[in-house]
Short mmCIF file of all heavy atoms in Angstrom, two decimals:
data_model
loop_
_atom_site.label_atom_id
_atom_site.label_comp_id
_atom_site.label_asym_id
_atom_site.label_seq_id
_atom_site.Cartn_x
_atom_site.Cartn_y
_atom_site.Cartn_z
N SER A 17 -126.96 149.95 90.11
CA SER A 17 -126.44 150.59 88.90
C SER A 17 -126.68 152.11 88.88
O SER A 17 -126.00 152.83 88.16
CB SER A 17 -127.07 149.96 87.66
OG SER A 17 -128.47 150.18 87.66
N ALA A 18 -127.61 152.60 89.69
CA ALA A 18 -127.90 154.04 89.74
C ALA A 18 -127.19 154.75 90.89
O ALA A 18 -127.23 155.98 90.97
CB ALA A 18 -129.41 154.25 89.88
N LEU A 19 -126.52 153.99 91.74
CA LEU A 19 -125.94 154.57 92.95
C LEU A 19 -124.86 155.61 92.68
O LEU A 19 -124.85 156.68 93.28
CB LEU A 19 -125.39 153.46 93.85
CG LEU A 19 -124.91 153.90 95.22
CD1 LEU A 19 -126.03 154.55 96.01
CD2 LEU A 19 -124.35 152.72 95.97
N ARG A 20 -123.96 155.33 91.76
CA ARG A 20 -122.86 156.26 91.47
C ARG A 20 -123.39 157.61 90.99
O ARG A 20 -123.01 158.66 91.50
CB ARG A 20 -121.90 155.67 90.44
CG ARG A 20 -120.74 156.61 90.10
CD ARG A 20 -119.82 156.01 89.05
NE ARG A 20 -119.13 154.84 89.54
CZ ARG A 20 -117.94 154.87 90.15
NH1 ARG A 20 -117.33 156.02 90.32
NH2 ARG A 20 -117.37 153.77 90.55
N ALA A 21 -124.31 157.60 90.02
CA ALA A 21 -124.86 158.85 89.50
C ALA A 21 -125.64 159.60 90.58
O ALA A 21 -125.52 160.83 90.70
CB ALA A 21 -125.76 158.57 88.30
N LEU A 22 -126.41 158.88 91.38
CA LEU A 22 -127.17 159.50 92.46
C LEU A 22 -126.24 160.17 93.47
O LEU A 22 -126.47 161.30 93.90
CB LEU A 22 -128.05 158.45 93.15
CG LEU A 22 -128.91 158.95 94.30
CD1 LEU A 22 -130.00 159.88 93.78
CD2 LEU A 22 -129.55 157.77 95.02
N THR A 23 -125.17 159.50 93.82
CA THR A 23 -124.20 160.03 94.77
C THR A 23 -123.56 161.31 94.25
O THR A 23 -123.50 162.33 94.95
CB THR A 23 -123.11 158.99 95.09
OG1 THR A 23 -123.73 157.82 95.62
CG2 THR A 23 -122.09 159.53 96.07
N TRP A 24 -123.07 161.30 93.01
CA TRP A 24 -122.41 162.49 92.45
C TRP A 24 -123.40 163.63 92.24
O TRP A 24 -123.05 164.80 92.43
CB TRP A 24 -121.66 162.14 91.18
CG TRP A 24 -120.39 161.40 91.49
CD1 TRP A 24 -120.15 160.08 91.29
CD2 TRP A 24 -119.21 161.94 92.09
NE1 TRP A 24 -118.90 159.75 91.74
CE2 TRP A 24 -118.30 160.88 92.23
CE3 TRP A 24 -118.84 163.21 92.53
CZ2 TRP A 24 -117.03 161.07 92.79
CZ3 TRP A 24 -117.58 163.38 93.08
CH2 TRP A 24 -116.69 162.32 93.20
N ASP A 25 -124.63 163.31 91.88
CA ASP A 25 -125.66 164.36 91.75
C ASP A 25 -125.93 165.02 93.10
O ASP A 25 -126.10 166.23 93.19
CB ASP A 25 -126.96 163.80 91.18
CG ASP A 25 -126.86 163.46 89.70
OD1 ASP A 25 -125.87 163.86 89.06
OD2 ASP A 25 -127.78 162.79 89.20
N PHE A 26 -125.97 164.22 94.16
CA PHE A 26 -126.23 164.77 95.49
C PHE A 26 -125.05 165.61 95.97
O PHE A 26 -125.24 166.66 96.59
CB PHE A 26 -126.56 163.66 96.49
CG PHE A 26 -127.02 164.21 97.81
CD1 PHE A 26 -128.22 164.90 97.92
CD2 PHE A 26 -126.26 164.04 98.96
CE1 PHE A 26 -128.65 165.42 99.13
CE2 PHE A 26 -126.68 164.56 100.18
CZ PHE A 26 -127.87 165.24 100.25
N ILE A 27 -123.84 165.18 95.67
CA ILE A 27 -122.65 165.98 96.03
C ILE A 27 -122.70 167.33 95.31
O ILE A 27 -122.43 168.37 95.91
CB ILE A 27 -121.36 165.20 95.70
CG1 ILE A 27 -121.18 164.07 96.72
CG2 ILE A 27 -120.14 166.13 95.69
CD1 ILE A 27 -120.08 163.10 96.39
N ALA A 28 -123.07 167.33 94.04
CA ALA A 28 -123.20 168.58 93.29
C ALA A 28 -124.28 169.47 93.89
O ALA A 28 -124.13 170.70 93.99
CB ALA A 28 -123.50 168.29 91.83
N LEU A 29 -125.38 168.87 94.32
CA LEU A 29 -126.47 169.62 94.94
C LEU A 29 -126.02 170.25 96.26
O LEU A 29 -126.33 171.41 96.54
CB LEU A 29 -127.65 168.67 95.18
CG LEU A 29 -128.99 169.27 95.50
CD1 LEU A 29 -129.52 170.06 94.31
CD2 LEU A 29 -129.98 168.17 95.86
N LYS A 30 -125.27 169.50 97.06
CA LYS A 30 -124.76 170.05 98.31
C LYS A 30 -123.86 171.25 98.04
O LYS A 30 -123.94 172.27 98.73
CB LYS A 30 -123.98 168.98 99.08
CG LYS A 30 -124.88 167.94 99.72
CD LYS A 30 -124.09 166.79 100.28
CE LYS A 30 -123.51 167.08 101.62
NZ LYS A 30 -122.96 165.85 102.27
N LYS A 31 -123.01 171.15 97.02
CA LYS A 31 -122.13 172.27 96.69
C LYS A 31 -122.92 173.47 96.18
O LYS A 31 -122.57 174.61 96.47
CB LYS A 31 -121.11 171.85 95.63
CG LYS A 31 -120.02 170.95 96.16
CD LYS A 31 -119.04 170.64 95.06
CE LYS A 31 -117.83 169.92 95.56
NZ LYS A 31 -116.83 169.71 94.51
N GLN A 32 -123.98 173.22 95.45
CA GLN A 32 -124.80 174.31 94.92
C GLN A 32 -125.50 175.07 96.05
O GLN A 32 -125.59 176.30 96.01
CB GLN A 32 -125.83 173.76 93.94
CG GLN A 32 -126.72 174.85 93.36
CD GLN A 32 -127.76 174.29 92.38
OE1 GLN A 32 -127.74 173.12 92.01
NE2 GLN A 32 -128.68 175.14 91.98
N PHE A 33 -125.99 174.35 97.04
CA PHE A 33 -126.78 174.99 98.09
C PHE A 33 -126.03 175.22 99.40
O PHE A 33 -126.59 175.74 100.35
CB PHE A 33 -128.07 174.19 98.33
CG PHE A 33 -129.02 174.33 97.19
CD1 PHE A 33 -129.08 173.37 96.19
CD2 PHE A 33 -129.82 175.46 97.06
CE1 PHE A 33 -129.94 173.51 95.11
CE2 PHE A 33 -130.67 175.60 95.98
CZ PHE A 33 -130.73 174.63 95.01
N ARG A 34 -124.78 174.86 99.46
CA ARG A 34 -123.88 175.19 100.58
C ARG A 34 -122.64 175.83 99.95
O ARG A 34 -121.64 175.16 99.71
CB ARG A 34 -123.46 173.95 101.37
CG ARG A 34 -124.53 173.37 102.22
CD ARG A 34 -124.63 174.14 103.54
NE ARG A 34 -125.48 173.45 104.47
CZ ARG A 34 -126.75 173.77 104.66
NH1 ARG A 34 -127.31 174.73 103.99
NH2 ARG A 34 -127.46 173.11 105.55
N PRO A 35 -122.70 177.14 99.69
CA PRO A 35 -121.60 177.81 98.99
C PRO A 35 -120.22 177.60 99.63
O PRO A 35 -119.21 177.61 98.92
CB PRO A 35 -122.00 179.29 99.05
CG PRO A 35 -123.49 179.27 99.18
CD PRO A 35 -123.80 178.04 100.00
N THR A 36 -120.15 177.39 100.93
CA THR A 36 -118.86 177.17 101.58
C THR A 36 -118.21 175.86 101.12
O THR A 36 -117.00 175.70 101.25
CB THR A 36 -119.00 177.14 103.11
OG1 THR A 36 -119.96 176.13 103.47
CG2 THR A 36 -119.46 178.48 103.64
N LEU A 37 -119.00 174.95 100.57
CA LEU A 37 -118.44 173.67 100.10
C LEU A 37 -117.92 173.73 98.67
O LEU A 37 -117.24 172.81 98.21
CB LEU A 37 -119.51 172.57 100.19
CG LEU A 37 -120.00 172.22 101.59
CD1 LEU A 37 -121.11 171.20 101.51
CD2 LEU A 37 -118.85 171.71 102.44
N ARG A 38 -118.22 174.80 97.96
CA ARG A 38 -117.81 174.90 96.55
C ARG A 38 -116.31 174.82 96.38
O ARG A 38 -115.83 174.31 95.37
CB ARG A 38 -118.36 176.17 95.93
CG ARG A 38 -119.85 176.12 95.76
CD ARG A 38 -120.40 177.36 95.11
NE ARG A 38 -121.86 177.32 95.15
CZ ARG A 38 -122.63 178.37 95.13
NH1 ARG A 38 -122.10 179.58 95.02
NH2 ARG A 38 -123.93 178.24 95.20
N ASN A 39 -115.58 175.35 97.33
CA ASN A 39 -114.11 175.35 97.23
C ASN A 39 -113.46 174.37 98.19
O ASN A 39 -112.29 174.54 98.54
CB ASN A 39 -113.59 176.78 97.49
CG ASN A 39 -114.11 177.76 96.46
OD1 ASN A 39 -114.22 177.44 95.28
ND2 ASN A 39 -114.46 178.95 96.91
N ALA A 40 -114.20 173.37 98.61
CA ALA A 40 -113.66 172.37 99.53
C ALA A 40 -112.47 171.67 98.89
O ALA A 40 -112.51 171.30 97.71
CB ALA A 40 -114.72 171.36 99.91
N VAL A 41 -111.41 171.52 99.66
CA VAL A 41 -110.19 170.89 99.15
C VAL A 41 -110.37 169.37 99.07
O VAL A 41 -109.91 168.74 98.13
CB VAL A 41 -108.99 171.25 100.05
CG1 VAL A 41 -107.73 170.54 99.59
CG2 VAL A 41 -108.79 172.75 100.07
N LYS A 42 -111.06 168.81 100.04
CA LYS A 42 -111.22 167.36 100.10
C LYS A 42 -112.67 166.97 99.85
O LYS A 42 -113.60 167.58 100.38
CB LYS A 42 -110.80 166.83 101.47
CG LYS A 42 -109.33 167.03 101.76
CD LYS A 42 -109.00 166.45 103.11
CE LYS A 42 -107.52 166.64 103.41
NZ LYS A 42 -107.17 166.05 104.69
N LEU A 43 -112.87 165.93 99.05
CA LEU A 43 -114.20 165.40 98.80
C LEU A 43 -114.86 164.93 100.09
O LEU A 43 -116.06 165.10 100.28
CB LEU A 43 -114.12 164.25 97.79
CG LEU A 43 -115.42 163.55 97.43
CD1 LEU A 43 -116.41 164.54 96.81
CD2 LEU A 43 -115.16 162.40 96.49
N SER A 44 -114.06 164.39 101.01
CA SER A 44 -114.61 163.90 102.28
C SER A 44 -115.27 165.02 103.08
O SER A 44 -116.22 164.78 103.82
CB SER A 44 -113.52 163.23 103.12
OG SER A 44 -112.49 164.16 103.42
N GLU A 45 -114.79 166.26 102.92
CA GLU A 45 -115.41 167.39 103.61
C GLU A 45 -116.83 167.62 103.11
O GLU A 45 -117.74 167.87 103.89
CB GLU A 45 -114.57 168.65 103.38
CG GLU A 45 -115.07 169.87 104.10
CD GLU A 45 -114.22 171.10 103.83
OE1 GLU A 45 -113.10 170.96 103.32
OE2 GLU A 45 -114.70 172.20 104.13
N VAL A 46 -117.03 167.49 101.81
CA VAL A 46 -118.36 167.65 101.22
C VAL A 46 -119.27 166.50 101.66
O VAL A 46 -120.42 166.70 102.04
CB VAL A 46 -118.29 167.72 99.68
CG1 VAL A 46 -119.68 167.86 99.08
CG2 VAL A 46 -117.39 168.85 99.23
N ILE A 47 -118.74 165.30 101.64
CA ILE A 47 -119.53 164.12 102.00
C ILE A 47 -119.96 164.17 103.46
O ILE A 47 -121.11 163.86 103.79
CB ILE A 47 -118.74 162.83 101.69
CG1 ILE A 47 -118.59 162.68 100.18
CG2 ILE A 47 -119.41 161.61 102.31
CD1 ILE A 47 -117.63 161.59 99.76
N ARG A 48 -119.06 164.58 104.36
CA ARG A 48 -119.37 164.61 105.80
C ARG A 48 -120.34 165.72 106.19
O ARG A 48 -121.01 165.64 107.22
CB ARG A 48 -118.09 164.75 106.61
CG ARG A 48 -117.32 163.48 106.77
CD ARG A 48 -116.26 163.61 107.86
NE ARG A 48 -115.54 164.87 107.82
CZ ARG A 48 -114.35 165.05 107.23
NH1 ARG A 48 -113.77 164.05 106.62
NH2 ARG A 48 -113.75 166.22 107.26
N THR A 49 -120.41 166.77 105.40
CA THR A 49 -121.28 167.90 105.74
C THR A 49 -122.73 167.52 105.49
O THR A 49 -123.11 167.17 104.38
CB THR A 49 -120.92 169.15 104.91
OG1 THR A 49 -119.55 169.47 105.16
CG2 THR A 49 -121.80 170.31 105.25
N GLU A 50 -123.55 167.59 106.55
CA GLU A 50 -124.95 167.22 106.44
C GLU A 50 -125.80 168.43 106.06
O GLU A 50 -125.47 169.56 106.40
CB GLU A 50 -125.48 166.70 107.78
CG GLU A 50 -124.98 165.33 108.14
CD GLU A 50 -125.69 164.81 109.37
OE1 GLU A 50 -126.82 164.29 109.22
OE2 GLU A 50 -125.13 164.94 110.47
N ILE A 51 -126.86 168.17 105.35
CA ILE A 51 -127.90 169.16 105.14
C ILE A 51 -129.05 168.72 106.02
O ILE A 51 -129.72 167.73 105.73
CB ILE A 51 -128.33 169.24 103.66
CG1 ILE A 51 -127.16 169.69 102.80
CG2 ILE A 51 -129.52 170.17 103.51
CD1 ILE A 51 -127.45 169.75 101.32
N LYS A 52 -129.23 169.41 107.13
CA LYS A 52 -130.22 169.01 108.12
C LYS A 52 -131.59 169.57 107.77
O LYS A 52 -131.73 170.75 107.44
CB LYS A 52 -129.82 169.50 109.51
CG LYS A 52 -128.47 169.00 110.01
CD LYS A 52 -128.46 167.52 110.23
CE LYS A 52 -129.16 167.15 111.50
NZ LYS A 52 -129.16 165.72 111.77
N GLY A 53 -132.60 168.74 107.87
CA GLY A 53 -133.97 169.18 107.64
C GLY A 53 -134.39 170.29 108.59
O GLY A 53 -135.13 171.20 108.22
#
């Protein structure tokens, strides 16, 4: 029941900390981009 909110929160976090993803045309581009430790 928490998976959807967790997923969208993480996508927003990726966009916040990877400025190049803010204007991504496709959601799949954001999802495929990894944040490597």
Side-chain angles (χ1 to χ4, degrees):
S17 63
L19 187 60
R20 180 181 295 269
L22 181 68
T23 301
W24 285 107
D25 287 348
F26 188 66
I27 287 171
L29 195 66
K30 286 171 81 169
K31 286 182 172 185
Q32 180 180 352
F33 290 97
R34 287 279 190 262
T36 56
L37 295 176
R38 290 181 188 155
N39 298 321
V41 176
K42 296 182 179 181
L43 178 60
S44 60
E45 183 181 345
V46 179
I47 292 170
R48 281 194 317 264
T49 301
E50 288 188 82
I51 297 178
K52 301 294 284 180

